[in-house]
Amino acid sequence: MASEAAAVATSNERKLTIARAMAEATAQEMRTDPTVFVMGEDIAKLGGVFGNTRGLLEEFGKQRVRDTPISETAFMGAAVGAASDGMRPIVELMFVDFFGVCFDAIYNSMAKNCYFSGGEVKVPVVLMTSTGGGYSDAGQHSQCLYGTFAHLPGMKVVCPSNAYDAKGLMTTAIRDDNPVIYMYHKGLQGMGWLGTEPLANVHTPEDTYEIPFGEAAIVRQGTDVTLVGCAMGVHNALKAADKLAEKGVSAEVVDLRTLVPLDRDTVFNSVAKTGKLIVVDEDYQSYGLTGEIIASIAERDVSVLKASPQRVAYPDVPIPFARVMEQHCLPNPDKIVAAYEKIA
Amino acid sequence: MASEAAAVATSNERKLTIARAMAEATAQEMRTDPTVFVMGEDIAKLGGVFGNTRGLLEEFGKQRVRDTPISETAFMGAAVGAASDGMRPIVELMFVDFFGVCFDAIYNSMAKNCYFSGGEVKVPVVLMTSTGGGYSDAGQHSQCLYGTFAHLPGMKVVCPSNAYDAKGLMTTAIRDDNPVIYMYHKGLQGMGWLGTEPLANVHTPEDTYEIPFGEAAIVRQGTDVTLVGCAMGVHNALKAADKLAEKGVSAEVVDLRTLVPLDRDTVFNSVAKTGKLIVVDEDYQSYGLTGEIIASIAERDVSVLKASPQRVAYPDVPIPFARVMEQHCLPNPDKIVAAYEKIA
Amino acid sequence: MLPTYEQKLWMYEHMLISRYFEEQIEQIYLEGKTPVFNMANGPIPGEMHLSNGQEPTAVGICAHLTPEDIVTATHRPHHQAIAKGVDLNKMTAEIFGKKTGLSGGRGGHMHIFDPAVNFACSGIIAQGLGPAVGAALSRKMQGKEGVAVAYMGEGAANQGAFHEALNLASVWKVPVIFVIEDNAWGISVAKAESTAVGDNSLRAVGYGMPGHMIPGNDPIAIFDVAGEAIARARRGEGPTLIEIETSRLAGHFMGDAEGYRPAGELDSLKAVDPIPTMRNRLATEHGLTTSEDEAIAGRARKKVDDAIKFARESADPAPEEAFEKVFA
Amino acid sequence: MLPTYEQKLWMYEHMLISRYFEEQIEQIYLEGKTPVFNMANGPIPGEMHLSNGQEPTAVGICAHLTPEDIVTATHRPHHQAIAKGVDLNKMTAEIFGKKTGLSGGRGGHMHIFDPAVNFACSGIIAQGLGPAVGAALSRKMQGKEGVAVAYMGEGAANQGAFHEALNLASVWKVPVIFVIEDNAWGISVAKAESTAVGDNSLRAVGYGMPGHMIPGNDPIAIFDVAGEAIARARRGEGPTLIEIETSRLAGHFMGDAEGYRPAGELDSLKAVDPIPTMRNRLATEHGLTTSEDEAIAGRARKKVDDAIKFARESADPAPEEAFEKVFA
Ligand SMILES: Cc1ncc(C[n+]2csc(CCOP(=O)(O)OP(=O)(O)O)c2C)c(N)n1
Ligand SMILES: Cc1ncc(C[n+]2csc(CCOP(=O)(O)OP(=O)(O)O)c2C)c(N)n1
Ligand SMILES: [Mg+2]
Ligand SMILES: [Mg+2]
């Protein structure tokens, strides 16, 4: 198998889903740090609609694992208040699509209070939220919104592509003294009912470990083109790399892992080597991630770009329900191959 | 004087502020179309905190010019409901910074109901909102958030740089059958207490006229570098062009006028001519407007970029209150000149 | 305001249409999803929220409405749509993601829009409340007939939009009825764990409007209370809040194992299923005969079967139609 | 729970500090802004919301609080901050945008954070309500002393955050007091034009918590009611909603011409200015002498003057400090 992650996945060691990796990291931190607690809709008895809080209620009880009313503004605000008072809340926004009902509490308060207080007030919140489509959940339940969160200052933004990273990034997130938006893709969550990507389920050590923010991973080495993405984009890129390899093209795949901080160096160095760049993103194309990556390279040294950089992103349309239309819009390996062929 | 807008401004004809131009366009449409009405906080008796609804209550009465409670979710939703039922609401979000308390009603409903209904339900709302800083209103009252709105599908996004455009774009916005986010910059509004830019007050015909969306304006011709921006960015660019001219550098200035639809052709053609691109933006730098413009050019044909494109944008920090810090962060003509010198 | 026998029959028939519809959808939804349940598969992909048990809230209210009246509905919209008179063929085709669907397959089950009968719904909790106020305002401003009804679940009554919309409706005195379907659950969270008051109609006091709580999942009691409230709104006397006790006879969405439901709850709810209850009442109080009942049921079934046939036989949209209708 | 004479004197002194402070700020704010009023100019740029007239709401509540208790305040925060014991030097320096300010000049007048006394505020209406619930929850979970007080204006009571936070506080039974400063105006919009009920304390019913309306802008009445509510919260009996009738003796912000105020309103409000009222009461009820009063006033003035001196003499931040403290 081609990618490093995939290589790990084939080993005999313990594989987890991202959902279980998140829950495990959370439980481990809750065991050692009494200030960590979890709240959100359906995260207690149900264990989270996407499974990432399963088992926590049973182990930690309902004081520390709290179902909330459908009141995102109040409980996001409550996370800010509790975090400012010495707690380390992990709070779930069930679908990232719902951010519009509570974004003020997030971007204007959670993200800025550290600054407004000159660093005197720390707001260590982990905001977990599900992203992504592909299973016909339509326009209010399938968005990624990576660009929306990454655009605004004061929040770190994490988007793992596999369970190993998911666990380490979760541990780092919980220990971080800042708000961290932890965006997990439903299609990588290991929940069969969402049609999960098996390559996201990789070896995940039982012991606790951190993955530093701001360090992209080169998940496949290559020389002819750099494919950059996060979360599901990485899997699309890896599959495209396989297809390109069949054509004799050697693609390097960069998994950004965190969008804020963004590891521009790794992407730049890769593009400086390959001369070609394709950015893959399931978020809307315009004014988003793909633009940022391309601009980051071009502004640094446009001469490294030996061909016009390309984007394979979600088109600027609401996400349609019907399978044929949704699949037509989603990034996929073939589109990446086609983008390469355009600039080959 | 250098720019076209500025040239118009020096003529003897009737000059308006953007605030008055907006109010005039609104009044003219209200006279001919009984379905147009205005609502928002302090837009009736006060005439809008930023003056853009002044005189409307007196002429049209309180049925059609409605102060609202501080309930943005409800009245943005109400705009959707009224628009879907045959009205053409103009609704004000006093500061764009407040979008977080009501964004669901905007981006998930106002912007998508046309799509969700297969075009059967039209949602002709004009959402006016003030942007921008420079007068020490700090981190929750000085943002631009152009990228935030332009990133998400289903909304047109307008940001005038002068009164002539402001009036024509407002008329077009009111007549458009789609949601239009009309972002006016406080520093261009012609309200002295905000320290207004005099070059925004230009000749504005009394008769009604439309300015089509998606057509950028070349507000200054040049051959050596293309400066691209919107709203206040245009004025910074024009002033930078003056300074560059003193150094013998001929800068072309493109006023985007609308971010959605975005006139990529005009920008591309200009850069194809000049070979150099600097994008100016008062919104946060990363994952925003500057990235989109640069990527749009690079993906089309990177070879037109004879030097690394540059951005002069707001850094990725919350907007500080203290004047020295805020001014340090804001884009300005000198920063644009410096960016040029870097790639000259 | 008690229903006539005719109105009761109308309610009963629409309850049946709704229930048959959900039963059909339930079956078809599972096609392609066994043995492995994957939402992405089958003729109806995505989430599916069935309304079994909640039919009374739909018919008791909508019996008073004309196509000119406005309904903004929830993520669980089928019963509401059927009672409001949404074109069942096009709605079913929409749920199947077909080109003949209300939006050509763009919206799906949580985004049913039928402007011909002024029906809309949304997948975001409480999102329809502001729009209902706006539509009611529009009628008032245009001097046109029509009231707006905003449906929500009891879980939705804890959203900020609830507060803002009720206040605004009252301040502007517009003709809108807020209807809470209290099925006791918001996904896995019980009402008592999410709501500071047992009875949401108490909250009406905070908005200077009448509030009513209707127990018993009883279409006739709902008809009665709604009739007064809607007449009041039509008279220009402003909004009303109504909470209706109803029951969710299925999981929150299909695939929900409902491990959180107390043992026995579902059985005791099924024992008071509003459909047999209504049937018995029509039989005992009005002498509805078995053959009359069968005729009604047959019509209901046929309507549903026709709609499903229409949907099944309709073509998929072309993939590139995804790019159309973003703007009008 | 009536205040002792000592407590009354504490309240009076803090009302004076607050009023003197605002009077000084008002003057200094105008420096550099005449003849042309431009918010960007002068030693205090940006918006300025003065609290003149609203001192009772600050002292009546905060008289019961210790530094360990939490206050989340509004865009009009000076009186609240002073009563809560925020470091006046650092706060003033913050308002001047100085390096010695609470945040080194990053926040300014609408973003006063003093964790030493658990004080925070915000420029977004009703933004502090959720955080107050969270801080109260934090105390409960940590088993630590402390109640949270969330201030808001009467205009803020129509925000969705109000509804959500009150409901959540009640469901979780956390020690939080919601305090509405009803100054009758939300910028130019009168309460009656924005609010469906005359008395917001009625809304408490919808959250199963006690609600109180306190007329008369009277610090002693506020002290009384707040004392019970805070004691109740400390006993673990949950949240309370209090609405206080108060008065805005200035424009919404500086520069507001207040064309919307009915003629005479301001004069009649000034006639019942709470500060002379309190002074008279202390004199008649407790025999406060003129010289005692002057001593208090002198102390208050000195505190304010010292703070202003401190702020004026402090250095500006370095421009590039703008890039620091985005993250902890
Ligand atoms: C703003 C928002 N938050 C959360 C959700 C996820 N969600 C969908 S349905 C639901 C429960 C709704 O409960 P209720 O309002 O009682 O309606 P019911 O499902 O019982 O009909 C939740 C939390 C959502 N769609 N929108
Ligand atoms: C969410 C939001 N909407 C609007 C505003 C603009 N705004 C600032 S103060 C104010 C009026 C607030 O009125 P009230 O709550 O009564 O407080 P007061 O100013 O009277 O103290 C408004 C509308 C804001 N800051 N935040
Ligand atoms: Mg429910
Ligand atoms: Mg007020």
Side-chain angles (χ1 to χ4, degrees):
Chain A
M1 273 212 203
S3 74
E4 287 184 22
V8 174
T10 58
S11 81
N12 274 333
E13 302 185 67
R14 188 183 79 134
K15 279 193 209 177
L16 289 190
T17 62
I18 290 186
R20 286 198 50 209
M22 290 171 68
E24 185 169 280
T26 304
Q28 287 173 336
E29 293 308 295
M30 289 181 81
R31 277 175 212 135
T32 56
D33 184 346
T35 66
V36 178
F37 73 105
V38 187
M39 62 179 159
E41 290 156 17
D42 305 285
I43 57 87
K45 254 180 295 171
L46 197 70
V49 172
F50 307 109
N52 42 303
T53 54
R54 232 171 246 179
L56 299 179
L57 176 68
E58 292 70 14
E59 180 171 353
F60 301 102
K62 64 186 191 171
Q63 284 303 311
R64 292 180 73 193
V65 184
R66 298 183 162 256
D67 279 331
T68 60
I70 311 173
S71 304
E72 289 87 354
T73 296
F75 71 74
M76 289 298 161
V80 175
S84 311
D85 194 52
M87 301 294 285
R88 302 186 90 81
I90 301 173
V91 59
E92 171 142 304
L93 179 66
M94 190 189 290
F95 288 73
V96 74
D97 314 67
F98 307 160
F99 86 108
V101 301
C102 60
F103 202 43
D104 182 71
I106 300 169
Y107 102 104
N108 251 342
S109 173
M110 191 186 291
K112 292 181 183 162
N113 282 1
C114 176
Y115 195 76
F116 289 150
S117 68
E120 295 298 311
V121 176
K122 294 181 189 24
V123 190
V125 176
V126 180
L127 191 165
M128 312 186 282
T129 189
S130 75
T131 67
Y135 63 103
S136 288
D137 214 358
Q140 293 176 334
H141 291 77
S142 303
Q143 299 167 99
C144 285
L145 306 182
Y146 301 130
T148 302
F149 282 80
H151 179 51
L152 299 164
M155 304 175 259
K156 302 188 180 179
V157 179
V158 173
C159 30
S161 70
N162 63 65
Y164 178 86
D165 287 357
K167 180 171 173 183
L169 292 167
M170 190 70 184
T171 304
T172 309
I174 297 170
R175 295 178 185 172
D176 199 297
D177 275 343
N178 297 288
V180 178
I181 313 298
Y182 188 105
M183 307 179 93
Y184 59 91
H185 193 289
K186 281 166 274 172
L188 303 176
Q189 198 60 357
M191 307 294 276
W193 56 274
L194 287 164
T196 201
E197 167 57 56
L199 292 183
N201 308 338
V202 298
H203 166 61
T204 307
E206 223 164 317
D207 282 350
T208 181
Y209 58 96
E210 292 187 32
I211 293 182
F213 291 170
E215 294 189 10
I218 298 184
V219 292
R220 176 177 172 132
Q221 309 265 357
T223 51
D224 298 335
V225 60
T226 300
L227 309 180
V228 178
C230 70
M232 187 60 95
V234 175
H235 295 279
N236 280 319
L238 286 170
K239 287 172 191 161
D242 284 342
K243 293 187 179 225
L244 287 168
E246 287 168 24
K247 299 174 191 254
V249 178
S250 161
E252 180 145 305
V253 179
V254 179
D255 181 347
L256 293 169
R257 298 206 289 200
T258 65
L259 302 183
V260 180
L262 177 62
D263 183 358
R264 293 179 172 87
D265 289 345
T266 294
V267 181
F268 183 83
N269 292 338
S270 176
V271 178
K273 181 175 73 172
T274 64
K276 297 200 177 81
L277 170 62
I278 300 173
V279 191
V280 185
D281 186 19
E282 195 181 317
D283 189 15
Y284 302 115
Q285 171 157 322
S286 293
Y287 303 90
L289 170 65
T290 53
E292 182 57 28
I293 299 293
I294 292 172
S296 295
I297 305 309
E299 71 182 342
R300 187 133 148 198
D301 183 357
V302 75
S303 73
V304 304
L305 290 164
K306 304 303 179 203
S308 298
Q310 298 296 305
R311 2 191 202 184
V312 177
Y314 206 91
D316 296 328
V317 306
I319 294 169
F321 161 69
R323 188 187 293 119
V324 286
M325 291 196 281
E326 187 190 16
Q327 296 302 326
H328 184 66
C329 292
L330 282 165
N332 63 35
D334 289 337
K335 290 185 185 180
I336 300 170
V337 171
Y340 178 77
E341 278 161 2
K342 216 174 128 189
I343 55 168
Chain B
M1 274 213 200
S3 72
E4 286 183 23
V8 175
T10 57
S11 81
N12 276 331
E13 302 184 67
R14 189 183 79 136
K15 280 193 206 175
L16 289 189
T17 62
I18 289 186
R20 286 198 51 210
M22 289 172 68
E24 184 169 279
T26 304
Q28 287 173 335
E29 293 308 295
M30 289 181 81
R31 278 175 212 134
T32 57
D33 184 346
T35 67
V36 178
F37 73 106
V38 187
M39 61 179 160
E41 289 156 18
D42 306 284
I43 57 88
K45 254 180 293 170
L46 196 69
V49 171
F50 308 109
N52 42 303
T53 55
R54 232 170 245 178
L56 298 180
L57 176 67
E58 293 70 13
E59 180 171 353
F60 300 102
K62 64 186 192 171
Q63 283 303 310
R64 292 180 71 193
V65 184
R66 298 185 161 254
D67 278 332
T68 59
I70 310 174
S71 304
E72 289 87 355
T73 296
F75 71 73
M76 288 299 161
V80 175
S84 310
D85 195 52
M87 301 295 285
R88 303 186 90 82
I90 301 172
V91 60
E92 172 143 302
L93 179 66
M94 191 188 288
F95 288 73
V96 74
D97 313 67
F98 307 160
F99 86 107
V101 301
C102 60
F103 203 43
D104 182 70
I106 300 168
Y107 102 104
N108 251 341
S109 172
M110 192 187 290
K112 291 181 183 162
N113 281 0
C114 177
Y115 194 76
F116 289 150
S117 69
E120 295 298 312
V121 175
K122 295 181 189 24
V123 190
V125 176
V126 180
L127 191 166
M128 312 186 283
T129 189
S130 75
T131 67
Y135 63 103
S136 288
D137 214 357
Q140 294 177 334
H141 291 77
S142 303
Q143 300 168 98
C144 285
L145 305 183
Y146 301 130
T148 302
F149 281 81
H151 179 51
L152 298 164
M155 304 174 258
K156 303 187 179 178
V157 179
V158 173
C159 30
S161 70
N162 63 65
Y164 177 85
D165 287 356
K167 180 171 173 182
L169 291 168
M170 189 70 184
T171 304
T172 309
I174 298 170
R175 295 178 185 173
D176 199 297
D177 275 343
N178 297 288
V180 178
I181 313 299
Y182 188 104
M183 308 180 93
Y184 58 91
H185 193 289
K186 280 166 274 171
L188 303 176
Q189 197 61 356
M191 306 295 276
W193 56 275
L194 287 164
T196 201
E197 167 58 56
L199 292 184
N201 308 338
V202 298
H203 166 63
T204 307
E206 224 167 314
D207 283 349
T208 181
Y209 57 95
E210 293 186 31
I211 292 182
F213 292 170
E215 294 190 10
I218 298 184
V219 292
R220 176 175 173 135
Q221 308 266 357
T223 52
D224 299 335
V225 59
T226 300
L227 310 179
V228 178
C230 71
M232 187 61 95
V234 175
H235 295 279
N236 280 319
L238 286 169
K239 288 171 191 161
D242 284 342
K243 293 187 179 223
L244 287 168
E246 288 167 23
K247 299 174 191 253
V249 178
S250 162
E252 179 145 304
V253 178
V254 179
D255 181 347
L256 294 169
R257 298 207 288 201
T258 64
L259 302 183
V260 181
L262 177 62
D263 183 358
R264 294 180 170 87
D265 289 345
T266 295
V267 181
F268 183 83
N269 293 336
S270 176
V271 178
K273 181 176 75 174
T274 64
K276 297 200 178 81
L277 169 63
I278 300 172
V279 191
V280 185
D281 186 19
E282 195 182 318
D283 189 14
Y284 303 115
Q285 171 156 322
S286 294
Y287 302 91
L289 170 65
T290 53
E292 181 57 27
I293 299 292
I294 291 172
S296 294
I297 305 309
E299 71 183 341
R300 188 133 146 197
D301 183 358
V302 76
S303 73
V304 303
L305 290 164
K306 305 302 178 202
S308 297
Q310 298 295 306
R311 3 190 200 183
V312 177
Y314 206 91
D316 296 327
V317 305
I319 294 168
F321 161 69
R323 188 187 294 119
V324 285
M325 292 196 280
E326 187 190 16
Q327 295 302 325
H328 184 66
C329 292
L330 283 165
N332 64 34
D334 289 337
K335 291 185 186 180
I336 300 170
V337 172
Y340 178 79
E341 278 161 0
K342 216 174 128 190
I343 56 168
Chain C
M1 188 187 289
L2 289 176
T4 62
Y5 182 46
E6 219 187 326
Q7 285 168 322
K8 287 184 195 171
L9 287 176
W10 181 92
M11 291 198 283
Y12 176 57
E13 182 162 339
H14 282 79
M15 289 168 71
L16 285 182
I17 297 170
S18 184
R19 180 67 62 88
Y20 291 144
F21 185 75
E22 299 296 46
E23 286 169 356
Q24 291 300 307
I25 293 291
E26 183 169 3
Q27 274 187 351
I28 299 166
Y29 183 78
L30 291 172
E31 288 175 22
K33 295 193 185 72
T34 39
V36 178
F37 183 82
N38 175 343
M39 269 193 188
N41 295 335
I44 305 177
E47 286 184 58
M48 179 52 60
H49 309 85
L50 298 177
S51 64
N52 309 37
Q54 303 191 189
E55 300 85 359
T57 69
V59 298
I61 304 285
C62 293
H64 298 284
L65 304 181
T66 75
E68 268 312 293
D69 296 311
I70 295 120
V71 165
T72 63
T74 67
H75 58 289
R76 192 183 302 288
H78 299 170
H79 58 315
Q80 300 155 352
I82 286 168
K84 186 60 173 61
V86 168
D87 184 308
L88 195 63
N89 286 8
K90 290 189 196 166
M91 166 169 139
T92 312
E94 185 62 32
I95 294 170
F96 280 69
K98 296 300 181 76
K99 193 178 163 65
T100 53
L102 286 163
S103 80
R106 290 177 188 80
H109 139 80
M110 282 189 277
H111 307 285
I112 302 290
F113 285 76
D114 189 353
V117 296
N118 289 294
F119 184 89
C121 67
S122 160
I124 301 291
I125 295 305
Q127 197 191 61
L129 276 60
V133 175
L137 172 67
S138 162
R139 293 308 166 87
K140 194 174 158 176
M141 289 181 74
Q142 297 188 55
K144 286 204 292 192
E145 291 289 304
V147 300
V149 172
Y151 278 102
M152 74 198 98
E154 91 295 335
N158 297 318
Q159 266 284 327
F162 172 90
H163 182 65
E164 295 191 7
L166 269 75
N167 182 62
L168 188 64
S170 185
V171 169
W172 283 352
K173 222 180 173 189
V174 290
V176 53
I177 317 294
F178 299 97
V179 178
I180 303 175
E181 296 182 286
D182 173 13
N183 64 9
W185 294 97
I187 308 186
S188 71
V189 180
K191 186 182 188 185
E193 287 164 45
S194 70
T195 312
V197 284
D199 172 359
N200 272 307
S201 75
L202 292 175
R203 292 179 165 174
V205 173
Y207 311 105
M209 67 174 75
H212 304 280
M213 213 289 281
I214 311 174
N217 207 17
D218 173 0
I220 294 169
I222 299 167
F223 181 98
D224 183 15
V225 172
E228 303 295 345
I230 291 168
R232 185 173 180 278
R234 291 200 201 282
R235 290 193 304 267
E237 292 169 24
T240 298
L241 172 64
I242 300 175
E243 179 160 79
I244 302 171
E245 195 184 76
T246 186
S247 58
R248 201 186 82 195
L249 296 181
H252 169 70
F253 52 24
M254 286 201 64
D256 176 3
E258 295 194 84
Y260 50 83
R261 269 236 221 218
E265 181 182 290
L266 199 56
D267 287 339
S268 53
L269 290 177
K270 283 187 175 160
V272 290
D273 185 328
I275 290 191
T277 308
M278 184 73 169
R279 180 184 301 123
N280 292 340
R281 210 156 149 186
L282 291 173
T284 35
E285 289 174 21
H286 298 278
L288 180 78
T289 65
T290 312
S291 69
E292 281 168 345
D293 182 38
E294 272 165 12
I296 296 170
R299 274 204 308 276
R301 256 197 203 97
K302 175 148 183 356
K303 195 173 162 81
V304 170
D305 291 342
D306 286 352
I308 297 214
K309 186 161 183 289
F310 174 79
R312 286 218 195 248
E313 290 174 358
S314 291
D316 279 335
E320 50 287 351
E321 286 178 53
F323 298 100
E324 295 168 14
K325 310 295 182 191
V326 179
F327 291 110
Chain D
M1 188 186 292
L2 289 176
T4 62
Y5 182 45
E6 218 186 328
Q7 285 168 322
K8 287 184 196 172
L9 287 175
W10 182 92
M11 290 197 284
Y12 176 57
E13 183 161 339
H14 282 79
M15 289 169 72
L16 285 182
I17 297 171
S18 183
R19 180 67 61 89
Y20 290 145
F21 185 75
E22 299 297 45
E23 286 169 357
Q24 290 301 306
I25 293 291
E26 181 169 5
Q27 273 186 353
I28 299 165
Y29 183 78
L30 291 172
E31 288 175 21
K33 296 193 185 70
T34 40
V36 178
F37 183 81
N38 176 344
M39 269 192 187
N41 294 335
I44 305 178
E47 286 185 58
M48 179 51 61
H49 309 86
L50 298 176
S51 63
N52 309 38
Q54 302 191 188
E55 299 85 359
T57 69
V59 298
I61 305 285
C62 293
H64 298 284
L65 303 182
T66 75
E68 268 312 293
D69 296 311
I70 295 119
V71 165
T72 63
T74 67
H75 58 289
R76 193 183 302 288
H78 299 170
H79 58 315
Q80 300 154 352
I82 286 168
K84 186 61 176 59
V86 169
D87 184 308
L88 196 63
N89 286 7
K90 291 190 197 167
M91 165 170 140
T92 312
E94 185 62 32
I95 294 170
F96 279 69
K98 296 300 180 76
K99 193 178 163 63
T100 54
L102 286 163
S103 80
R106 289 177 189 81
H109 139 81
M110 282 189 276
H111 307 285
I112 302 289
F113 285 76
D114 189 352
V117 296
N118 288 295
F119 184 89
C121 68
S122 160
I124 301 292
I125 296 306
Q127 197 189 62
L129 276 60
V133 175
L137 172 67
S138 162
R139 293 308 166 88
K140 194 174 157 176
M141 289 181 74
Q142 298 188 54
K144 287 204 293 192
E145 290 289 303
V147 301
V149 172
Y151 279 102
M152 75 197 97
E154 90 298 334
N158 297 317
Q159 266 285 328
F162 172 90
H163 182 65
E164 295 191 7
L166 270 76
N167 181 62
L168 188 63
S170 185
V171 169
W172 284 351
K173 221 178 173 192
V174 290
V176 54
I177 318 292
F178 299 97
V179 178
I180 303 175
E181 297 183 285
D182 173 14
N183 64 8
W185 293 97
I187 310 186
S188 70
V189 180
K191 186 183 189 186
E193 287 163 45
S194 69
T195 312
V197 284
D199 172 0
N200 272 307
S201 75
L202 292 174
R203 292 180 165 174
V205 173
Y207 311 106
M209 67 174 75
H212 305 280
M213 213 290 280
I214 311 174
N217 206 17
D218 174 1
I220 294 170
I222 299 167
F223 181 99
D224 183 16
V225 173
E228 304 295 346
I230 291 168
R232 184 173 181 277
R234 292 201 201 282
R235 289 194 305 266
E237 293 169 24
T240 299
L241 173 64
I242 300 175
E243 178 160 79
I244 302 172
E245 195 184 76
T246 186
S247 58
R248 200 186 83 194
L249 296 181
H252 168 70
F253 51 25
M254 286 202 64
D256 177 3
E258 295 195 84
Y260 51 82
R261 272 238 220 216
E265 181 183 289
L266 199 57
D267 288 338
S268 53
L269 290 176
K270 283 186 174 160
V272 291
D273 185 329
I275 289 191
T277 307
M278 184 74 168
R279 180 183 302 123
N280 291 340
R281 210 157 150 184
L282 291 173
T284 37
E285 290 175 20
H286 298 277
L288 179 78
T289 66
T290 312
S291 69
E292 281 167 346
D293 182 37
E294 273 164 13
I296 296 170
R299 275 205 307 276
R301 256 197 203 96
K302 174 147 185 357
K303 195 173 162 81
V304 171
D305 291 343
D306 287 352
I308 296 213
K309 186 161 182 290
F310 174 79
R312 284 216 196 252
E313 290 174 358
S314 292
D316 280 334
E320 49 289 350
E321 286 178 53
F323 297 100
E324 296 167 14
K325 311 293 183 193
V326 179
F327 290 110

